[in-house]
């Protein structure tokens, strides 16, 4: 059992598992008492930069621009939207003040002032493509991250593990560790 091992040895724990219940996440984070702990739903360094940039862009463009997020993954992916798409939504709206609208169908009426559209596409062997679009009056701005291989997640996790192993016990945030906050 991982929990018992971390408690007994103080070995740093880097977790990328998604879909935890609140109870499971609390148990994971409680291990910060015994070891350095980092949890992230995505270890791509590019996605970490994407989140950081989105926060800056959103501070400037909102509320004047509409936001839509599109994510594409392979046809075997079970959940939608992806955890990464939700992370990007949170980067756009860190205070949770906007309403997420998942897809649109039928006579849905005019777009609400504080909506973020979320759209999921599934097909082929796509490792992951995430696009955040900002639509303003007479202008559009899009930013996209494209994972062409799942190896990027391994590379990012290894990079973060090298940083995490030297930290004192506690719970760490990938953004803080990566950008040295």
């Amino acid at each position: 059992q991982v929990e018992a091992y971390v408690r007994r040895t103080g070995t740093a724990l880097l977790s990328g598992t998604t879909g935890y219940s609140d109870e499971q996440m609390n148990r994971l984070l409680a291990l910060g008492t015994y070891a350095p702990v980092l949890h992230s739903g995505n270890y791509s360094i590019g996605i970490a930069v994407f989140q950081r940039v989105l926060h800056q862009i959103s501070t400037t463009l909102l509320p004047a621009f509409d936001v839509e997020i599109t994510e594409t993954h392979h046809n075997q992916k079970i959940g939608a939207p992806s955890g990464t798409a939700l992370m990007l939504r949170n980067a756009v709206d860190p205070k949770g003040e906007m309403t997420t609208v998942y897809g649109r169908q039928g006579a849905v009426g005019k777009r609400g002032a504080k909506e973020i559209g979320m759209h999921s596409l599934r097909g082929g062997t796509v490792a992951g493509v995430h696009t955040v679009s900002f639509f303003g009056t007479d202008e559009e701005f899009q930013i996209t991250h494209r994972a062409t291989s799942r190896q990027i997640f391994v590379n990012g996790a290894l990079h973060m593990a090298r940083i995490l192993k030297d930290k004192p016990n506690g719970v760490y945030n990938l953004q803080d560790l990566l950008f040295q906050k």
Side-chain angles (χ1 to χ4, degrees), residues 59-123:
T59 301
T60 303
L61 298 182
L62 296 180
F65 282 63
D66 298 323
V67 182
E68 297 284 321
I69 299 172
T70 304
E71 56 97 356
T72 306
H73 286 87
H74 54 89
N75 61 16
Q76 301 300 301
K77 187 164 185 70
I78 296 170
S82 69
T84 301
L86 297 174
M87 290 169 63
L88 297 176
R89 179 203 59 200
N90 293 341
V92 170
D93 180 29
K95 294 180 182 174
E97 298 172 335
M98 300 177 78
T99 301
T100 305
V101 176
Y102 298 93
R104 293 186 177 85
Q105 179 180 356
V108 296
K110 292 187 344 183
R111 180 189 179 91
K114 289 189 146 197
E115 284 184 11
I116 296 178
M118 181 76 72
H119 311 278
S120 299
L121 307 174
R122 298 291 179 263

Side-chain angles (χ1 to χ4, degrees), residues 38 47 63 81 130 160 166 170 174:
L38 173 62
I47 287 292
H130 294 83
M160 297 312 298
D166 296 325
L174 186 142

Side-chain angles (χ1 to χ4, degrees), residues 45 48-49 159-160 163 173-180:
I45 302 302
V49 171
H159 178 75
M160 297 312 298
I163 295 170
N173 173 292
L174 186 142
Q175 291 282 318
D176 293 345
L177 285 179
L178 188 60
F179 299 109
Q180 301 300 312

Side-chain angles (χ1 to χ4, degrees), residues 12-180:
L13 175 63
L14 182 136
S15 171
T17 303
T18 59
Y20 280 137
S21 68
D22 288 343
E23 178 194 343
Q24 291 169 317
M25 184 57 74
N26 289 337
R27 284 181 25 215
L28 175 80
L29 299 179
L31 292 173
T33 302
Y34 304 95
V37 173
L38 173 62
H39 177 268
S40 179
N42 188 308
Y43 281 96
S44 159
I45 302 302
I47 287 292
V49 171
F50 196 174
Q51 288 177 273
R52 187 175 174 95
V53 169
L54 277 178
H55 180 70
Q56 293 173 317
I57 292 168
S58 299
T59 301
T60 303
L61 298 182
L62 296 180
F65 282 63
D66 298 323
V67 182
E68 297 284 321
I69 299 172
T70 304
E71 56 97 356
T72 306
H73 286 87
H74 54 89
N75 61 16
Q76 301 300 301
K77 187 164 185 70
I78 296 170
S82 69
T84 301
L86 297 174
M87 290 169 63
L88 297 176
R89 179 203 59 200
N90 293 341
V92 170
D93 180 29
K95 294 180 182 174
E97 298 172 335
M98 300 177 78
T99 301
T100 305
V101 176
Y102 298 93
R104 293 186 177 85
Q105 179 180 356
V108 296
K110 292 187 344 183
R111 180 189 179 91
K114 289 189 146 197
E115 284 184 11
I116 296 178
M118 181 76 72
H119 311 278
S120 299
L121 307 174
R122 298 291 179 263
T125 58
V126 178
V129 178
H130 294 83
T131 299
V132 179
S133 303
F134 295 86
F135 298 97
T137 302
D138 300 325
E139 64 180 315
E140 300 173 17
F141 179 80
Q142 289 185 329
I143 184 168
T144 297
H145 177 270
R146 185 176 311 276
T148 57
S149 162
R150 291 187 185 101
Q151 184 64 42
I152 65 170
F153 309 117
V154 173
N155 296 344
L158 290 172
H159 178 75
M160 297 312 298
R162 285 190 282 279
I163 295 170
L164 185 66
K165 72 177 178 54
D166 296 325
K167 295 293 182 188
N169 294 356
V171 176
Y172 294 89
N173 173 292
L174 186 142
Q175 291 282 318
D176 293 345
L177 285 179
L178 188 60
F179 299 109
Q180 301 300 312

